């Protein structure tokens, strides 16, 4: 790597880290205030802190694109304020060379944040939900892909997928004999939906273990199976934004097979790939403000305007997502359209500077 590349990368990364930590610390502080209001004899302040530590990767992931914009403006803005860009250009380094160097860093950052969103965030979120679930109910153990195990009286219930607090699938109920000498029944349920009073169980298969034989029965619908309170499922009902793309893909496929609307999950699935693109867009949007003439205002003013542009991008992104959900636009278009538009604007502005 060239010395100039290392210098630009170092300045950019320093600015990003400062902005990133500032945003996450601020968000964590307000989250702590919120959690502190929920503390009691069973949920202490120390346990609230442990829970927030588990949620830190999700916070870092959420604020990364914004941090890239602010951090790039701060880090490289300091170079512009000290006329270092002018010195670089006097030494024969073009604006295109500088931009190209920073974009190469952006590509690495985009890959890194994708890895964080795909593996680290879902894993830490699982630990966070498991921690809080066991504080509320010692008989709950969450597993990946939104599933969980629950001990309910003489039964152990395995739920493969928790689609919401009122809908689950791939359920297995292991009921033991009163003296715990062995398994009494094994009930498999394809889908279950909560109604006003109880649960409706679909495609039910029950195996009863007698002393000298096994009896197996099947029913399309049953309503009298002992099951858990829907409130228990609230702790396992994962925010889809914190699922990996592979987990989202499985849920989308399941819902399509069962004729359930998938727009919400598809939008979040495509956002998993648009966020890395947003990282590059933030870098590119920052570049024109760094190379503007001082006659258009000082570097501080240009940084402020650049941050406003970033806020506009954030609002445009959210608006496109919400309008797509309301009016039924393609989730793929809703996820990528704002990034593509602002990417074009940023590249056009850079081309005018070069």
């Amino acid at each position: 790597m060239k010395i100039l590349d290392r210098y630009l990368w170092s300045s950019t990364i320093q600015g990003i880290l400062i902005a990133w930590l500032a945003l996450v610390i601020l968000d964590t502080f307000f989250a702590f205030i919120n959690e502190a209001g929920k503390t009691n004899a069973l949920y202490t302040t120390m346990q609230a802190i442990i829970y927030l530590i588990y949620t830190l990767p999700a916070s870092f992931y959420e604020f990364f694109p914004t941090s890239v914009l602010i951090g790039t403006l701060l880090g490289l803005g300091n170079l512009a304020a000290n006329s270092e860009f002018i010195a670089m250009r006097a030494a024969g380094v073009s604006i295109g060379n500088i931009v190209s160097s920073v974009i190469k860093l952006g590509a690495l950052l985009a890959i890194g944040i994708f890895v964080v969103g795909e593996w680290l965030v879902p894993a830490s979120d699982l630990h966070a939900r498991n921690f809080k679930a066991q504080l509320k109910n010692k008989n709950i153990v969450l597993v990946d892909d939104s599933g969980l195990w629950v001990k309910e009286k003489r039964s152990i219930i395995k739920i493969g997928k928790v689609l919401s607090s009122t809908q689950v699938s791939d359920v297995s109920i292991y009921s033991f004999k009163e003296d715990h000498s062995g398994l009494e029944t094994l009930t498999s349920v394809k889908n279950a939906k909560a109604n006003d009073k109880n649960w409706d169980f679909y495609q039910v298969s029950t195996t009863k273990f007698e002393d000298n034989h096994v009896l197996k029965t099947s029913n399309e619908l049953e309503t009298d199976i002992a099951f858990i309170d829907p409130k228990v499922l609230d702790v396992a009902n994962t925010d889809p934004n914190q699922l990996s793309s592979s987990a989202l893909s499985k849920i989308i496929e399941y819902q399509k097979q069962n004729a359930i609307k998938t727009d919400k999950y598809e939008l979040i699935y495509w956002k998993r790939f648009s966020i890395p693109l947003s990282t590059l867009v933030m870098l590119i949007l920052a570049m024109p403000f760094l190379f503007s003439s001082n006659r258009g205002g000082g570097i501080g003013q240009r940084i402020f305007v650049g941050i406003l542009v970033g806020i506009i991008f954030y609002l445009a992104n959210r608006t496109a997502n919400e309008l797509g959900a309301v009016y039924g636009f393609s989730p793929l278009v809703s996820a990528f359209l704002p990034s593509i538009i602002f990417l074009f604007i940023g590249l056009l502005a850079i081309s005018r500077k070069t």
Side-chain angles (χ1 to χ4, degrees):
M1 186 188 299
K2 296 179 181 179
I3 295 175
L4 181 61
D5 286 338
R6 288 200 298 269
Y7 185 61
L8 290 172
W9 287 25
S10 174
S11 299
T12 305
I13 290 172
Q14 286 177 20
I16 290 173
L17 287 176
I18 292 171
W20 206 12
L21 286 173
L23 290 174
V24 171
I25 289 171
L26 187 63
D27 178 67
T28 304
F29 173 73
F30 286 112
F32 174 73
I33 293 175
N34 182 52
E35 289 296 318
K38 303 175 185 176
T39 56
N40 50 45
L42 299 176
Y43 184 50
T44 64
T45 301
M46 182 54 65
Q47 289 169 331
I49 292 173
I50 294 172
Y51 171 74
L52 289 175
I53 290 173
Y54 281 132
T55 64
L56 280 177
S59 296
F60 277 111
Y61 179 75
E62 179 182 355
F63 286 105
F64 187 71
T66 305
S67 302
V68 167
L69 174 65
I70 297 174
T72 302
L73 289 170
L74 290 176
L76 297 185
N78 187 49
L79 303 186
N82 294 327
S83 302
E84 292 185 52
F85 284 146
I86 295 176
M88 291 177 192
R89 295 175 67 184
V93 179
S94 68
I95 291 177
N97 294 141
I98 297 172
V99 172
S100 175
S101 176
V102 176
I103 288 178
K104 283 188 288 185
L105 172 62
L108 293 176
L109 293 176
I111 294 171
I113 201 62
F114 177 79
V115 171
V116 169
E118 185 67 13
W119 286 285
L120 183 57
V121 171
S124 64
D125 176 63
L126 175 63
H127 285 298
R129 292 184 299 119
N130 229 332
F131 179 75
K132 186 168 273 192
Q134 291 181 11
L135 290 176
K136 291 183 177 180
N137 189 328
K138 300 294 183 182
N139 296 324
I140 295 179
V141 177
L142 302 174
V143 294
D144 58 357
D145 290 348
S146 305
L148 75 161
W149 289 83
V150 182
K151 185 178 181 298
E152 185 79 8
K153 297 180 181 178
R154 289 191 296 114
S155 299
I156 293 179
I157 302 170
K158 176 186 178 295
I159 301 176
K161 287 185 174 63
V162 180
L163 303 175
S164 69
S165 59
T166 59
Q167 186 175 358
V168 297
S169 68
D170 301 331
V171 179
S172 297
I173 304 172
Y174 303 87
S175 298
F176 295 87
K177 295 179 181 178
E178 234 176 291
D179 58 0
H180 299 284
S181 60
L183 192 63
E184 186 174 57
T185 61
L186 168 59
T187 305
S188 299
V189 179
K190 181 65 176 176
N191 299 298
K193 294 181 181 180
N195 53 41
D196 294 336
K197 298 179 180 178
N198 208 329
W199 288 82
D200 294 324
F201 301 91
Y202 301 91
Q203 299 180 38
V204 182
S205 175
T206 304
T207 304
K208 189 172 184 180
F209 301 92
E210 302 288 353
D211 292 334
N212 54 4
H213 68 279
V214 175
L215 179 63
K216 190 170 184 177
T217 58
S218 298
N219 289 297
E220 282 299 314
L221 174 64
E222 289 192 26
T223 58
D224 58 350
I225 300 174
F227 203 52
I228 60 178
D229 189 328
K231 292 180 181 179
V232 173
L233 297 178
D234 285 336
V235 295
N237 188 20
T238 314
D239 181 355
N241 287 292
Q242 295 175 335
L243 290 174
S244 66
S245 59
S246 57
L248 286 166
S249 179
K250 291 177 183 177
I251 292 177
I252 291 169
E253 183 62 29
Y254 169 83
Q255 292 189 330
K256 284 182 177 179
Q257 291 175 356
N258 291 272
I260 301 173
K261 194 173 182 180
T262 62
D263 288 359
K264 174 185 175 182
Y265 289 94
E266 286 189 64
L267 176 60
I268 296 170
Y269 174 81
W270 289 117
K271 281 174 65 179
R272 184 69 71 246
F273 299 94
S274 68
I275 285 178
L277 176 61
S278 298
T279 300
L280 282 173
V281 172
M282 293 294 99
L283 274 171
I284 291 169
L285 281 176
M287 293 295 103
F289 295 98
L290 298 173
F291 297 107
S292 295
S293 170
N294 285 331
R295 287 176 297 176
I299 186 63
Q301 180 181 337
R302 282 180 270 143
I303 289 175
F304 176 72
V305 174
I307 292 173
L308 285 181
V309 172
I311 293 173
I312 293 172
F313 170 77
Y314 174 79
L315 293 175
N317 212 17
R318 291 291 299 270
T319 302
N321 294 165
E322 296 298 328
L323 289 177
V326 172
Y327 294 104
F329 299 150
S330 167
L332 180 62
V333 173
S334 298
F336 282 97
L337 185 60
S339 295
I340 292 173
I341 291 174
F342 276 81
L343 177 61
F344 176 77
I345 293 172
L347 291 174
L348 182 62
I350 289 174
S351 68
R352 293 183 63 183
K353 298 296 177 185
T354 56

